[in-house]
Amino acid sequence: MKPLFIAGNWKSYKTLAQAREWVDGFSKYSDELKALSGVTTIICPPYTLLSYVAQQIEALQLPLVLGAQDVSQFDEGAYTGEVNASQIKEFASWVIIGHSERRRNLGEPDDLLAKKVRAAKKAGLKVLYCVQDEAVWVPEGVDIIGFEPPWAISAVSHGRAMLAATAERVCVQIKATNPAIPVLYGGSVTAENIGEYVNQPSIDGVIPGGASLDPEKFANLIRAAVNSHK
Ligand code: PGA
């Protein structure tokens, strides 16, 4: 069975108190989820919660690895407001780069994203690089590609996740130009529809946003993914 990746993206949600509630809730499923094999679950909280979540993963032995949602293109230095890759590496092993919300809301272009990938790799971080279709350029050195059609993100209430067969066709094309890199699908993934995605031969996992915010829903999603994964 191919390895399965689930990368939960909290986006700009959760205070420390809310993160505590999430950890309390998720830890109830810890033993059960630890017994599942073949799945790597990455959780990506905002910067402010990386330290807390890292401590809890360690203390409670949660079956999670930690990721950040962005990284500075710069090393340490006089770059007010930036968080550099070495600072992230103190807590996390992964980073998301190129999410469509940052491309759209912060205007991040390909050349900036390539600099972020270089900075992340230099510090020893693994990179989950998001693309919005098969034509988007992928910089050298990324570890996983996330295919996320922007129209399907946060659209779960309108029933607009991309059809799994359509997502599969795009992932096949992404793999054709980026061989040997796992490709995940993101966009309104839930415990109910996850099985359709992870059963596709060219989809190696998923990136749930909204469905990662509630610990019970997230645990259900991980269980459903593993149970329906071929
Ligand atoms: P969503 O987000 O699951 O809430 O649609 C996915 C993502 O943007 O990573």
Side-chain angles (χ1 to χ4, degrees), residues 26 29-31 33-34 40-41 57 61-65 222:
F26 189 79
Y29 302 95
S30 191
D31 287 343
L33 298 177
K34 259 189 253 179
T40 301
T41 307
I57 290 174
Q61 292 292 296
L62 301 176
L64 296 170
V65 293
I222 298 166

Side-chain angles (χ1 to χ4, degrees), residues 7 9 11 99-101 148 152-156 186-189 207-211:
N9 175 10
K11 309 192 179 188
H99 195 285
S100 64
E101 288 159 5
E148 302 196 300
I153 292 179
S154 305
V156 74
S188 302
V189 174
I207 310 172

Side-chain angles (χ1 to χ4, degrees), residues 59-127:
L60 302 172
Q61 292 292 296
L62 301 176
L64 296 170
V65 293
L66 195 59
Q69 300 171 18
D70 183 36
V71 62
S72 176
Q73 65 178 301
F74 302 113
D75 288 338
E76 66 170 8
Y79 302 107
T80 301
E82 289 290 272
V83 177
N84 70 57
S86 304
Q87 292 169 324
I88 292 171
K89 188 66 176 45
E90 288 193 288
F91 305 109
S93 46
W94 283 88
V95 63
I96 300 173
I97 297 176
H99 195 285
S100 64
E101 288 159 5
R102 293 198 64 84
R103 292 179 192 255
R104 185 182 64 234
N105 299 324
L106 287 302
E108 295 193 349
D110 285 349
D111 57 339
L112 169 67
L113 297 173
K115 287 181 190 159
K116 291 186 176 203
V117 171
R118 278 202 294 278
K121 296 307 295 179
K122 196 170 125 195
L125 289 168
K126 292 189 185 135
V127 174

